[in-house]
Amino acid sequence: MPIGVALIGGGIWAREEHLPAILASEDLTLKAIYSRSRKSAEETASASKTQVDLYSDDSEHAYDELLKRNDIEAVIIALPIVSQASYIRAALLANKHVLSEKPVAENVAEAKELIKWYGDEIKPHGKVTWGVGENFRYLDTFRHAREKIKELGEITGFLVRLYGDVQPDGKFYNTDWRKVPTHQGGFILDGGVHFTAGLRYLLGSDVHITQVSAFTTLIKDYLPPVDTVNAILKANTGAQGTLQVSMGTHGPAPEWTVGCENGSVSVGDSSVTVRMADGQEHVDKIENERSGVPPEVRLWAKALAGGKVNPEQSPSQALADLELIELMLRSGENNGQPQTCQCQQSADV
């Protein structure tokens, strides 16, 4: 029997990605939509083309009323970064399974506190689970590349380079919480946590980052506090690499490359390129399933239906993603001073 689920959030990502993913999942039935405003909830509901109950802070039926419903067993939370933690806590206390959007929390300290609380107060009872979504882990290009990397021996280096050049008329920019961010890093956190997750996924379980050194800057004054980071990362194996992200300038095409003993692997939008040490090159054409959110939601639901937890969605994974961004920001604030990672090795990969 499908699991009754509520979508918590009426923003762009919730409406364009989570909503269709829920509707397409055979293990989920959408029961309700909550947004902070009734207008936003109605707009999201209209996109579903199904009859669902609406909840909002400016109506008679708010979030706490939704959580009292016995036919809603789980919630998917896609709210502004600074709002998520309190909604996660409330849902878990109401015995609802939770899949929350990345990042796991606004900062590492809050994330650690939330994870500890979950481990101490909720997890031992075994009634409900908490997962954190990260769609990059469900892109077929990344999953294929990870397998190819394993075939080429020890990882010797890596390069991630992404330029976004966010414009004031862009749909993601024109949300209040992104225009005037109260969370650390602004767009560098909001988008960048995807990139650290993607890199960590490609490196696999045996390679984890131990030190980070970075420089940060602000190119576009409407993207505070910083919109560009250039980081050097050192792994436990001795391998080193770079991560360059800018939301404030044009640049070359995105690049994800991992160098290995016997060749290298590069991830493209719809391809994976394997270059062997002897000069041979092979390109595998691969189509991702949208943004990766449909399989993210589908596999979360299948795990719930089977009474299991998907390890790729563990909060410790999301904490490790977040830590790398926070350490880059901290290093940038201190003129590139190296920062030591504390949360990488313990993450379940």
Side-chain angles (χ1 to χ4, degrees):
M1 186 174 179
I3 298 164
V5 67
L7 177 58
I8 311 303
I12 297 167
W13 201 245
R15 185 166 60 251
E16 295 185 357
E17 297 294 340
H18 288 295
L19 179 62
I22 292 170
L23 297 175
S25 173
E26 62 183 18
D27 294 305
L28 298 175
T29 297
L30 181 64
K31 296 287 187 179
I33 294 172
Y34 161 87
S35 187
R36 288 173 296 173
S37 73
R38 176 77 181 190
K39 180 176 181 291
S40 177
E42 290 174 346
E43 289 174 349
T44 304
S46 67
S48 74
K49 298 180 181 179
T50 59
Q51 186 65 40
V52 296
D53 298 323
L54 304 183
Y55 295 79
S56 65
D57 292 344
D58 57 2
S59 68
E60 294 181 5
H61 304 290
Y63 185 56
D64 58 341
E65 291 296 319
L66 181 153
L67 294 179
K68 293 176 182 178
R69 288 179 52 168
N70 293 327
D71 63 333
I72 294 176
E73 302 167 72
V75 296
I76 294 179
I77 301 176
L79 293 168
I81 291 171
V82 297
S83 303
Q84 295 233 130
S86 62
Y87 285 79
I88 293 168
R89 284 178 183 266
L92 291 170
L93 287 170
N95 290 322
K96 311 299 182 189
H97 296 285
V98 173
L99 178 66
S100 60
E101 250 302 311
K102 59 80 202 169
V104 57
E106 181 182 3
N107 53 60
V108 168
E110 182 183 66
K112 285 182 176 179
E113 181 184 351
L114 190 58
I115 291 170
K116 184 179 186 305
W117 170 82
Y118 171 65
D120 291 345
E121 304 295 331
I122 303 297
K123 203 171 180 180
H125 300 295
K127 293 181 178 179
V128 291
T129 60
W130 171 34
V132 182
E134 175 44 67
N135 49 299
F136 269 51
R137 283 191 262 273
Y138 296 92
L139 293 171
D140 288 334
T141 46
F142 276 73
R143 297 174 88 83
H144 184 73
R146 177 165 165 158
E147 293 306 310
K148 292 298 181 182
I149 290 167
K150 290 178 182 178
E151 297 172 4
L152 294 179
E154 183 178 345
I155 291 173
T156 55
F158 48 89
L159 166 65
V160 177
R161 184 173 58 196
L162 300 140
Y163 292 87
D165 195 28
V166 174
Q167 295 297 313
D169 58 353
K171 65 180 181 180
F172 285 108
Y173 175 76
N174 281 294
T175 49
D176 290 341
W177 65 276
R178 289 188 177 97
K179 277 186 176 180
V180 187
T182 57
H183 57 276
Q184 62 173 336
F187 268 85
I188 289 296
L189 174 60
D190 188 28
V193 73
H194 285 307
F195 310 144
T196 55
L199 172 61
R200 291 184 56 253
Y201 186 79
L202 292 176
L203 295 180
S205 58
D206 295 330
V207 180
H208 59 269
I209 305 303
T210 57
Q211 281 191 302
V212 174
S213 181
F215 289 96
T216 56
T217 191
L218 178 64
I219 296 173
K220 300 284 180 63
D221 59 8
Y222 57 82
L223 295 173
V226 295
D227 58 17
T228 300
V229 58
N230 289 277
I232 299 173
L233 302 94
K234 184 177 181 179
N236 60 312
T237 59
Q240 298 180 19
T242 60
L243 186 148
Q244 300 172 276
V245 177
S246 180
M247 302 297 184
T249 187
H250 291 286
E255 182 169 358
W256 300 82
T257 296
V258 176
C260 307
E261 286 180 291
N262 301 311
S264 66
V265 178
S266 296
V267 183
D269 288 340
S270 302
S271 66
V272 173
T273 301
V274 179
R275 300 178 182 89
M276 305 302 294
D278 61 7
Q280 294 185 60
E281 181 175 300
H282 180 72
V283 180
D284 295 325
K285 296 294 184 182
I286 298 169
E287 291 296 329
N288 290 311
E289 188 177 350
R290 290 177 60 93
S291 62
V293 171
E296 168 194 297
V297 170
R298 185 169 61 247
L299 292 173
W300 171 70
K302 284 190 178 300
L304 286 186
K308 300 176 182 178
V309 178
N310 188 337
E312 290 182 338
Q313 296 170 342
S314 70
S316 63
Q317 276 272 34
L319 172 61
D321 300 337
L322 172 63
E323 183 191 44
L324 291 184
I325 292 292
E326 185 165 300
L327 292 183
M328 290 176 202
L329 294 170
R330 186 180 301 162
S331 178
E333 291 169 357
N334 292 277
N335 200 34
Q337 183 182 70
Q339 305 291 314
T340 300
C341 301
Q342 304 292 335
C343 307
Q344 302 298 308
Q345 194 168 6
S346 62
D348 303 319
V349 179

